[in-house]
Amino acid sequence: MNRKKGISLLLGAVLMLALLSGCGGETAPEPQAPPEPASEEEKAEGAAALGSLASFSAGTLDGGTFTQDDLAARDVTVLNFWALTCPPCIAEMPEIAAFEKALPDNVAMITVCLDGYGNEDSVRDVLENAGFEGITLITGDGGLLDLTYNLMYTPTTVLAGSDGALLGEAIIGGQKELASVYLEAVNQALAAGGKDEITLEDA
């Protein structure tokens, strides 16, 4: 078995766990009572529990390679983990596409399709229909593979800093106000790193 296929099968196994525990509706379940806001220390601990992208290599849908060096070129990179078998993931892809197009140069938005390897044409169809023109990863190792083991739901979105450290809390489930939720998370991450906040440009 070649290495990429092996990595894809491991991602597929993670996906199966994710499908058993999540991806059931348009949005994540509403909590019964509003939770207390997490402290900055709790947010850092939550992000650290997911892992780190300080060292990894991934294959892109277009046949390229994406590594921690690509993260280093941006202040913040937003990574959306999704699957072809997850209807809420596909439903929010047009909003993700619009968000990606509206970002300034210091922030990137990429997607990670957990069941994309071997299903490249289907992935392309979903992305083309949504208008997503950014980078999509379909294989990976190192910190990226470790991160997929720690995911419990699809879709899940995380933010990574230029050093590969995960920032803030994971955004779990489909979001009714996706651009607002993502923009708030990005600006919190930028502010924590001493960077200027951003606004979205016209897509």
Side-chain angles (χ1 to χ4, degrees):
M1 177 170 16
N2 69 40
R3 186 165 195 246
K4 278 193 175 181
K5 188 172 181 182
I7 292 167
S8 176
L9 291 175
L10 290 173
L11 288 174
V14 171
L15 171 64
M16 286 292 114
L17 292 174
L19 292 177
L20 290 173
S21 51
C23 192
E26 289 291 322
T27 59
E30 296 277 338
Q32 294 300 316
E36 290 293 321
S39 68
E40 291 305 314
E41 183 177 323
E42 289 171 328
K43 288 180 182 179
E45 287 174 1
L50 286 175
S52 167
L53 293 174
S55 178
F56 73 96
S57 180
T60 66
L61 181 61
D62 63 5
T65 301
F66 190 92
T67 71
Q68 65 276 359
D69 292 337
D70 295 289
L71 298 181
R74 309 295 176 109
D75 293 329
V76 173
T77 299
V78 184
L79 298 94
N80 173 259
F81 290 81
W82 66 286
L84 292 167
T85 51
C86 173
C89 300
I90 294 171
E92 72 176 7
M93 197 58 69
E95 291 181 81
I96 287 174
F99 183 79
E100 187 271 335
K101 290 175 184 173
L103 289 171
D105 291 340
N106 65 317
V107 179
M109 170 92 214
I110 68 173
T111 76
V112 183
C113 185
L114 296 173
D115 54 355
Y117 183 76
N119 298 303
E120 288 87 349
D121 287 343
S122 297
V123 176
R124 286 187 189 96
D125 287 345
V126 169
L127 298 176
E128 286 173 11
N129 288 336
F132 184 79
E133 299 173 356
I135 294 170
T136 293
L137 310 182
I138 57 172
T139 64
D141 63 18
L144 181 65
L145 186 58
D146 293 341
L147 174 54
T148 64
Y149 284 130
N150 293 322
L151 298 179
M152 297 193 65
Y153 300 93
T154 53
T156 291
T157 299
V158 300
L159 282 69
S162 58
D163 60 356
L166 299 185
L167 309 170
E169 299 176 309
I171 301 168
I172 299 171
Q175 303 297 311
K176 290 181 180 177
E177 300 291 337
L178 185 144
S180 296
V181 171
Y182 282 20
L183 181 60
E184 181 179 0
V186 167
N187 279 331
Q188 287 176 356
L190 289 169
K195 306 285 185 179
D196 291 338
E197 294 187 359
I198 63 166
T199 58
L200 298 179
E201 302 166 358
D202 291 333

